[in-house]
Amino acid sequence: MTKTIFEIGLNGRSGDYVPASDVPAEGLDLPIERTGPIGLPSVGEQDLVRHYVELAAKNYHIDKGMYPLGSCTMKYNPLMNEEVAGLEGFTGLHPAQDAGDVQGALRLMHELERDLCEITGMSAFTLQPVAGAHGELTGMMIARDWFRDRGETDRRTVIVPDSAHGTNPASVVSCGFVPKVLASDERGMVEPAALRGAVGDDTAVLMLTLPNTLGIFERDIAAIVGIVHDAGGLVYMDGANMNALLGIVQPGAIGIDIMHLNLHKTFSTPHGGGGPGSGPVGVRGHLADFLPVPRVVEEKGRFRLSGESSKTIGCVHRWNGNFNVLVKAWAYIRRLGGRGLREASENAIINANYLMKLVSRHYRVTYPGPCMHEFVASGAGLKPHGVKTLDVAKRLLDYGLHAPTVYFPLIVEEALMIEPVETEKREALDGFAAAMEAIAREAAENPDLLHDAPVTTPVRRLDEAGAARNPDLCWSGECAGD
């Protein structure tokens, strides 16, 4: 185990090259002003750099190997996009600058909105939401105000299939709606007859994840949309899985009324570690007036921010969302073009089905597809050996691989959600499948090996529930050195 930075200091060591101040000191006269040493370790620059390089080398990242947990967003993200987003012309902007000074940035946002409209078939987008769940919330706010504007305040029910993303019901409740869970059928899909029995005069929205969390495209989507529209409701599409549909399906063309995209998932804008993300929301024409403001408008080749909308839900995030993420998404779309985007989705589908075929030889796949960009295997078949899905995930770490998403979706027992993404090569997929096969064999022959896993990582198996509920993140010892 590597020592902490607090334990490696030595007397007299320092990496402090800041020159002495040549201006008079000014006291702040605050009751909380520090009066004693701050307690930082005495560490020289070289020791400091080596310490963090060592820690970084222990970390698993996309430059080391594949992430089978999908494009959220541990996939290859072209470094060129980072360079574009890092251009001084972008990073040197202030969000409150006059529109006349930032025409390039406004043009980029305007073009990105047009691109997203063309890709999805929606009429207009807001770029403000800064995460997928934030997009869900924004979309539900638009639906809420649309029904209020029509005087249909009794429509409070939002139907959410049990194969939807877990954040959907929370977004529904946050906007004053009431979620109503709809069970999937034996195919893992929404059954039109069941949906027809669930809708009514109180139905506001069907909130559909497409493809759903089983990696399955709703084959009856035309009938599903028709049933909801006939009942007077709206259809919301959770578009977090849009990376399976680029150039193949336009949600607006099949009647989706509102949708959000995860730019940080579909369009190469990594948000590992918690951010920043971006969850633009698109709507069809009848809902465009309800989008957040301000929005970028073009007038005679010039761009400006407009807040002109009497029905807008208002602003959901200042300064036009996470602009840096928008730049990366714009660069990705422009570089790939329409044909390249479609190829990205096709490769995601091919990779997922190829890997599903290999993994299904040793793990049950309850809903075998064909799948889209991901599939859900089950570790339930290992239960007779006393092995759980969590043990499989931990053992994968010993094979030098990252674990997939586990225990989600909830409708699959001992779920292993596996999404290989479009950029992984066949050799990487074969390697992952071989590790899964070996683990299944180990489960039968030596289950304790899995119970103890991981055994080769810097940190062994943790008390995950305890770490999440009672985190201890503060150094409580003494700093080494003076």
Side-chain angles (χ1 to χ4, degrees):
M1 179 67 183
T2 301
K3 290 183 177 179
T4 69
I5 191 70
F6 301 101
E7 299 171 291
I8 63 175
L10 288 173
N11 291 341
R13 297 282 175 84
S14 173
D16 182 7
Y17 299 125
V18 179
S21 174
D22 59 356
V23 298
E26 291 288 342
L28 298 176
D29 192 25
L30 296 174
I32 58 172
E33 184 176 5
R34 180 175 59 82
T35 58
I38 195 171
L40 294 176
S42 299
V43 182
E45 179 182 302
Q46 190 176 51
D47 292 333
L48 184 74
V49 172
R50 286 177 175 173
H51 175 73
Y52 285 109
V53 168
E54 182 186 2
L55 289 182
K58 290 180 177 177
N59 192 26
Y60 189 90
H61 46 80
I62 191 63
D63 293 329
K64 273 190 173 179
M66 70 173 282
Y67 275 75
L69 53 63
S71 52
C72 286
T73 186
M74 304 304 179
K75 64 177 182 179
Y76 166 65
N77 294 280
L79 296 178
M80 176 183 289
N81 298 348
E82 300 295 328
E83 294 185 11
V84 172
L87 292 173
E88 187 176 356
F90 291 133
T91 59
L93 296 177
H94 190 284
Q97 277 183 259
D98 184 83
D101 296 336
V102 293
Q103 282 294 296
L106 294 176
R107 177 178 177 177
L108 183 145
M109 289 190 288
H110 190 265
E111 290 184 354
L112 179 59
E113 180 182 345
R114 292 295 92 200
D115 288 345
L116 298 183
C117 286
E118 183 175 349
I119 291 168
T120 62
M122 307 304 281
S123 300
F125 264 86
T126 173
L127 305 177
Q128 286 185 12
V130 292
H134 194 193
E136 292 176 19
L137 181 68
T138 301
M140 285 295 104
M141 291 169 68
I142 291 171
R144 180 195 61 194
D145 282 17
W146 189 72
F147 283 115
R148 282 179 179 172
D149 186 62
R150 293 163 59 88
E152 298 182 76
T153 54
D154 290 339
R155 290 189 179 272
R156 298 186 61 232
T157 300
V158 175
I159 299 172
V160 184
D162 59 6
S163 59
H165 279 127
T167 49
N168 288 180
S171 299
V172 169
V173 173
S174 297
C175 289
F177 290 117
V178 178
K180 182 178 184 179
V181 177
L182 184 67
S184 301
D185 65 10
E186 69 282 358
R187 305 169 301 168
M189 303 181 199
V190 172
E191 168 58 46
L195 177 62
R196 195 171 287 110
V199 299
D201 294 339
D202 63 334
T203 299
V205 182
L206 168 67
M207 199 170 190
L208 191 70
T209 299
L210 189 70
N212 64 29
T213 58
L214 296 167
I216 298 174
F217 186 81
E218 300 285 353
R219 299 179 189 176
D220 299 313
I221 186 63
I224 290 169
V225 171
I227 291 169
V228 176
H229 284 170
D230 289 345
L234 299 172
V235 180
Y236 182 99
M237 174 177 155
D238 181 325
N241 294 338
M242 188 68 191
N243 58 313
L245 305 179
L246 298 175
I248 301 173
V249 175
Q250 281 187 311
I254 57 177
I256 301 296
D257 298 291
I258 314 171
M259 69 174 296
H260 81 266
L261 294 166
N262 286 10
L263 294 189
H264 51 265
K265 177 175 180 179
T266 302
F267 299 106
S268 163
T269 62
H271 79 142
S278 183
V281 172
V283 297
R284 290 202 293 147
H286 57 292
L287 295 162
D289 289 342
F290 296 86
L291 284 172
V293 291
R295 296 176 58 207
V296 180
V297 296
E298 180 182 11
E299 294 172 345
K300 299 179 180 178
R302 301 288 291 176
F303 302 90
R304 67 178 178 86
L305 290 170
S306 171
E308 300 158 5
S309 177
S310 60
K311 295 182 179 179
T312 176
I313 63 170
C315 177
V316 298
H317 195 276
R318 297 298 307 276
W319 313 126
N320 309 302
N322 282 329
F323 177 72
N324 179 273
V325 179
L326 307 183
V327 175
K328 297 176 190 176
W330 178 90
Y332 184 80
I333 292 170
R334 293 296 164 133
R335 185 183 184 194
L336 266 64
R339 179 175 297 178
L341 291 173
R342 182 182 175 104
E343 288 179 356
S345 285
E346 290 174 343
N347 287 338
I349 295 169
I350 292 170
N351 277 0
N353 280 278
Y354 176 76
L355 190 56
M356 181 177 70
K357 191 70 175 179
L358 296 180
V359 171
S360 64
R361 295 172 180 171
H362 309 283
Y363 298 81
R364 184 192 312 162
V365 178
T366 309
Y367 304 98
C371 67
M372 298 296 288
H373 61 303
E374 65 188 4
F375 65 96
V376 181
S378 171
L382 305 180
K383 275 189 169 180
H385 309 304
V387 171
K388 300 179 179 178
T389 283
L390 181 63
D391 301 319
V392 175
K394 296 299 183 184
R395 185 59 178 157
L396 275 169
L397 306 184
D398 285 332
Y399 282 86
L401 294 163
H402 198 283
T405 300
V406 295
Y407 297 111
F408 183 81
L410 301 179
I411 54 177
V412 175
E413 182 184 10
E414 296 290 321
L416 286 150
M417 177 191 278
I418 300 171
E419 182 178 6
V421 309
E422 71 275 12
T423 51
E424 289 301 340
K425 304 297 184 292
R426 179 173 176 177
E427 294 78 11
L429 305 181
D430 289 342
F432 179 82
M436 291 290 287
E437 178 184 355
I439 292 171
R441 187 168 55 249
E442 290 172 349
E445 298 172 353
N446 186 8
D448 284 342
L449 185 61
L450 274 68
H451 296 153
D452 294 335
V455 297
T456 62
T457 53
V459 178
R460 301 287 293 276
R461 188 176 296 206
L462 302 174
D463 175 4
E464 296 180 341
R469 294 170 183 170
N470 303 297
D472 182 6
L473 307 176
C474 295
W475 172 256
S476 56
E478 297 292 330
C479 288
D482 54 9

